[in-house]
Amino acid sequence: MFARLWWKEARQTWPVWAFLACVGVALQGLVRLLAGPSPVEGYIPLAAVVTGIYLFLIAAAVFAGERESGTLGLLDALPVDRLRLWAAKASFALATTLALGALLWLSGTAFGGYLPNIGPITFTALVWGLLALGWGLLWSAVLGNA
């Protein structure tokens, strides 16, 4: 069931993911072009901002998008425990957010030409990201539209 729900979500959200991946890399390239190679500390925060935008978009659309398109009733009719359904949708949102963040972090390190100390940054980003994902999923389940 996880694979089917992931495939359904991937078909619906890949354009947003691809667009924000392109925008993130393009913004990092624009910063490199305009400011030169000196602002090495600006690439990683830019990657975090674009990843945060995707996180809010995907978390808001996970359940509210189903309700808005009228397919939430179909998902409720499936012989699957609701917790398993929520886990599949939430894990897709988390996994694609982490993939986008990793892609933009790699491009940021490539543009900057150095490998930053990622220990405290990664822990803080994961804590805030999980918090944002939780709130986004909550409001997605409560609100009527995305």
Side-chain angles (χ1 to χ4, degrees):
M1 179 53 80
F2 262 59
R4 288 185 180 157
L5 285 172
W6 272 49
W7 175 244
K8 176 190 169 302
E9 292 295 323
R11 285 182 314 189
Q12 292 177 340
T13 60
W14 78 265
V16 173
W17 191 93
F19 176 75
L20 285 175
C22 291
V23 164
V25 172
L27 284 174
Q28 289 173 342
L30 184 66
V31 167
R32 171 125 176 137
L33 179 71
L34 295 177
S38 61
V40 293
E41 65 275 350
Y43 299 117
I44 302 302
L46 186 60
V49 167
V50 173
T51 304
I53 290 170
Y54 174 76
L55 174 65
F56 289 126
L57 287 172
I58 192 71
V62 167
F63 294 106
E66 297 287 347
R67 189 176 300 110
E68 191 173 356
S69 65
T71 57
L72 190 60
L74 175 68
L75 289 177
D76 285 339
L78 292 175
V80 176
D81 185 27
R82 185 170 283 226
L83 181 62
R84 187 174 176 105
L85 180 74
W86 276 63
K89 290 178 140 314
S91 66
F92 176 82
L94 181 63
T96 56
T97 301
L98 289 175
L100 181 64
L103 173 75
L104 294 177
W105 180 80
L106 286 173
S107 69
T109 56
F111 280 124
Y114 80 107
L115 190 61
N117 183 9
I118 62 168
I121 296 170
T122 304
F123 178 74
T124 304
L126 282 176
V127 167
W128 282 103
L130 288 174
L131 183 66
L133 178 66
W135 277 105
L137 291 173
L138 172 71
W139 287 112
S140 177
V142 172
L143 297 178
N145 57 9

